[in-house]
Amino acid sequence: MREGKPISTEPRINERIHVNEVRLVGPNGEQVGIVRIDDALRLAREADLDLVEVAPQARPPVAKLMDYGKFKYESAQKARESRRNQANTVIKEMKLRPKIDDHDYETKKGHVVRFLRGGDKVKITIMFRGREQSRPELGFNLLKRLADDVAEDGSVESQPRQDGRNMLMVLAPTRRKAEARAEEKAAKAAKAEQRAADAEAEAREAAEQRAAHQAAAQPKRKRGPADNLDPDIDL
């Protein structure tokens, strides 16, 4: 393979568009029509905008009038935001026995719900032993029961299937992990706010109690002979 410069993914703009005519789109998405490239460049200069080739494969190519610098900046911002919100989905695993008792089932179902609400997929594995392998319907019914019980938080992505001595099913969360993390973050912030408000109320109540206690503890002034005199009498 011949070495050379990497292929640019940037669209051609302004004088780099080497065609005779383009299908021109205005800055607000309005269709201008097919115009000569010279006229399109003139319109771009008059509007203080760039002529950007947005569909080079079309015949003729489609070009749009826009502020290309602003467009690139906004696109980079959106890409950064998307990467920041993106979270890799983790596949958790939960193992059950075909004849699991109700208490263990409820406990493990609670874990599955917690994983799903956290935005993770869950692989459910039913483990058969000995003669249990001759009764796959036990595993199938258990998986169906679990899927129905957690339907509010997850759905079946991979239907139950036999894999050697085990039977597998994959549940997918009903919401994305980024949404689950945002909700968890908001809940933590609300709790922190409530704790701060409670602490402030407790401090205010304690200050009021101290003030009342200090007022009650102040010694009363003893009355003297002058306290019995009529204030209107001139001495």
Side-chain angles (χ1 to χ4, degrees), residues 125-129 132-134 136 161-168:
T125 302
I126 305 294
M127 302 178 297
F128 295 94
R129 293 180 183 173
E132 293 175 345
Q133 297 180 59
S134 63
R161 62 181 177 85
Q162 196 76 29
D163 182 20
R165 295 185 177 184
N166 300 328
M167 183 174 286
L168 310 177

Side-chain angles (χ1 to χ4, degrees), residues 39-96:
D39 294 333
L41 289 170
R42 176 178 55 78
L43 290 172
R45 287 192 295 270
E46 290 175 355
D48 196 22
L49 295 171
D50 298 300
L51 182 67
V52 182
E53 189 179 49
V54 294
Q57 297 85 4
R59 292 293 177 266
V62 180
K64 184 176 181 180
L65 297 174
M66 68 173 73
D67 184 337
Y68 187 58
K70 181 180 178 182
F71 171 77
K72 284 187 65 177
Y73 173 78
E74 291 177 348
S75 297
Q77 288 288 92
K78 289 178 181 178
R80 262 196 301 272
E81 188 69 21
S82 177
R83 286 194 297 270
R84 186 160 52 243
N85 291 334
Q86 186 178 9
N88 295 327
T89 300
V90 176
I91 298 182
K92 305 287 188 178
E93 185 173 11
M94 185 59 59
K95 296 182 178 180
L96 295 81

Side-chain angles (χ1 to χ4, degrees), residues 156-180:
V156 177
E157 181 180 84
S158 177
Q159 294 293 334
R161 62 181 177 85
Q162 196 76 29
D163 182 20
R165 295 185 177 184
N166 300 328
M167 183 174 286
L168 310 177
M169 179 181 72
V170 177
L171 296 171
T174 54
R175 58 182 179 174
R176 293 179 299 177
K177 192 159 189 173
E179 294 173 352

Side-chain angles (χ1 to χ4, degrees), residues 24 39 81 91 118 125 140 152 194 200 219:
L24 186 62
D39 294 333
E81 188 69 21
I91 298 182
T125 302
F140 180 83
E152 186 176 342
Q194 187 60 47
E200 185 179 349

Side-chain angles (χ1 to χ4, degrees), residues 116-119 175-185:
L116 292 171
R117 288 180 179 176
R175 58 182 179 174
R176 293 179 299 177
K177 192 159 189 173
E179 294 173 352
R181 286 185 174 178
E183 185 174 319
E184 182 182 359
K185 185 177 179 181

Side-chain angles (χ1 to χ4, degrees), residues 185-201:
K185 185 177 179 181
K188 286 182 178 178
K191 286 182 180 179
E193 234 177 85
Q194 187 60 47
R195 284 196 298 268
D198 292 343
E200 185 179 349

